Amino acid sequence: MTPDNEAVKVLVLDTEGLAALDEDSNHDVRIFSLAVLLSSYFIYNSMGSIDENALQNLNLVCNLTKNIQVKSQGNNKSPIDTDPEELAAYFPSFMWVVRDFTLQLVDTEGDPINSREYFEQALKEQKGYSEAIENKNRIRRMLKSFFKERDCCTMVRPTTKEDNLQKLAELELDQLRGEFVE
C-alpha cells in the first residue's frame, strides 16, 4: 500500500550472487546490467561492513557503460563513450543492505550517524594519486553518478547463538535479537 492507501503490485527479481564459481566476470556484469535496467528499486546485499573489499565487489559498476546504451551510437562512438550522467536517468534507486553488521555507526569524531551517512562516508574519495587509488575512486564516482538516489540499511546478526543460525526459519521472533527484529 502507498501512503495514500492505494494498492501497489510488486515484482521481486532475485538474481544469483556475484562471483559465482562457475561463471566469469562478464556473466556478472550482464546479470547486474539486466537487473538494474529492470528495476525501479535495486537492492544489493552483502555481509559485514562497507569496506574496500565490499566496494571492490561492485567494480562491475564501472563496466555498465559497456553493456548499456541509451540511444543508437554513430559509427564513431562506442558504448564506452556514453556519459554516466546520461545513463543515471535510467537507473533505479539503490539500497545497500549490510547483513551481520557489527560496527558502531559513528563518524570520525565519534558522533552517532545513521546508515545512510555511513554509506556516504564509504563513498568519499580516497586521497592520493596512484593508479590503485584512482581505481578505487572510480568505483565510488560511478556509484554516485549512476545511483543518484541511494540509501543503506544495516542489520545485526539475527541471533548470537551459532546453532540457531542453521534453523532461523523455525525460530519465533522472541528468539531473535531485539535489534534485528526492530
Side-chain angles (χ1 to χ4, degrees):
M1 296 293 247
T2 67
D4 299 330
N5 287 329
E6 294 180 36
V8 175
K9 294 181 182 183
V10 176
L11 172 65
V12 177
L13 173 66
D14 184 14
T15 67
E16 64 187 45
L18 301 177
L21 295 176
D22 57 341
E23 298 294 345
D24 64 8
S25 62
N26 288 329
H27 176 79
D28 288 345
V29 171
R30 288 190 304 268
I31 294 290
F32 192 84
S33 299
L34 183 61
V36 163
L37 289 173
L38 290 174
S39 301
S40 58
Y41 201 84
F42 185 82
I43 300 173
Y44 176 77
N45 86 76
S46 64
M47 292 179 64
S49 63
I50 301 177
D51 58 10
E52 203 55 52
N53 286 333
L55 286 167
Q56 287 300 312
N57 286 337
L58 278 174
N59 69 357
L60 54 100
V61 170
C62 296
N63 295 320
L64 286 177
T65 57
K66 294 177 185 174
N67 291 320
I68 299 174
Q69 293 182 7
V70 175
K71 57 188 171 191
S72 176
Q73 304 289 333
N75 289 339
N76 58 352
K77 275 188 130 182
S78 72
I80 297 170
D81 295 330
T82 304
D83 180 15
E85 295 295 324
E86 188 178 359
L87 281 178
Y90 298 92
F91 277 43
S93 299
F94 182 89
M95 168 68 75
W96 193 327
V97 176
V98 185
R99 298 176 292 126
D100 298 352
F101 187 75
T102 58
L103 301 177
Q104 294 292 319
L105 286 174
V106 294
D107 63 16
T108 54
E109 285 81 41
D111 296 323
I113 59 173
N114 61 36
S115 53
R116 174 184 245 155
E117 293 166 325
Y118 167 71
F119 184 23
E120 293 302 321
Q121 257 184 8
L123 292 178
K124 286 185 179 174
E125 292 194 24
Q126 294 186 345
K127 295 180 179 171
Y129 301 101
S130 71
E131 186 175 338
I133 296 286
E134 178 51 34
N135 287 335
K136 292 174 182 181
N137 287 337
R138 183 172 45 253
I139 295 168
R140 290 170 166 83
R141 282 192 303 272
M142 291 291 202
L143 282 168
K144 291 190 285 190
S145 292
F146 288 147
F147 300 103
K148 299 293 185 192
E149 293 180 30
R150 56 189 176 271
D151 205 346
C152 178
C153 173
T154 57
M155 299 170 58
V156 297
R157 198 170 198 180
T159 180
T160 56
K161 298 179 182 175
E162 287 294 321
D163 56 330
N164 281 346
L165 288 172
Q166 303 301 319
K167 54 183 180 178
L168 281 177
E170 302 167 15
L171 299 178
E172 298 294 326
L173 286 180
D174 63 352
Q175 294 176 289
L176 300 175
R177 292 172 68 184
E179 311 97 307
F180 180 80
V181 175
E182 59 183 51

